[in-house]
Amino acid sequence: MLKWSAILLVVAVIAGIFGFFNLVAAAAGLAKILFFVFLVLFVVSLFTGRRGKSM
C-alpha cells in the first residue's frame, strides 16, 4: 500500500509540471488520506507487535 502512495506522489508532481490543477488536487488528496491511514496502521502494528509470551 505504501507503493500506491508513492505512485500518487509522482502523479501529483507530474501533473503539477503540466498544469493539470484538478488532477493535482485529487492526487494530493488521495496521498494525504493514504498517509494518515498508513500512519494509523503503523501505530497499531507497533502496539500489537510488541506483545510477548507471558509465562
Side-chain angles (χ1 to χ4, degrees), residues 14-30:
I14 291 172
I17 291 171
F18 290 115
F20 299 122
F21 296 111
N22 291 335
L23 182 60
V24 171
L30 286 173

Side-chain angles (χ1 to χ4, degrees), residues 2-55:
L2 191 57
K3 180 181 174 183
W4 284 106
S5 62
I7 290 172
L8 288 174
L9 176 66
V10 170
V11 168
V13 170
I14 291 172
I17 291 171
F18 290 115
F20 299 122
F21 296 111
N22 291 335
L23 182 60
V24 171
L30 286 173
K32 286 180 185 177
I33 292 170
L34 285 176
F35 172 76
F36 287 113
V37 167
F38 289 126
L39 186 65
V40 168
L41 289 174
F42 173 70
V43 170
V44 168
S45 69
L46 280 179
F47 287 117
T48 60
R50 294 203 172 220
R51 293 184 186 167
K53 291 182 180 179
S54 59
M55 296 194 111

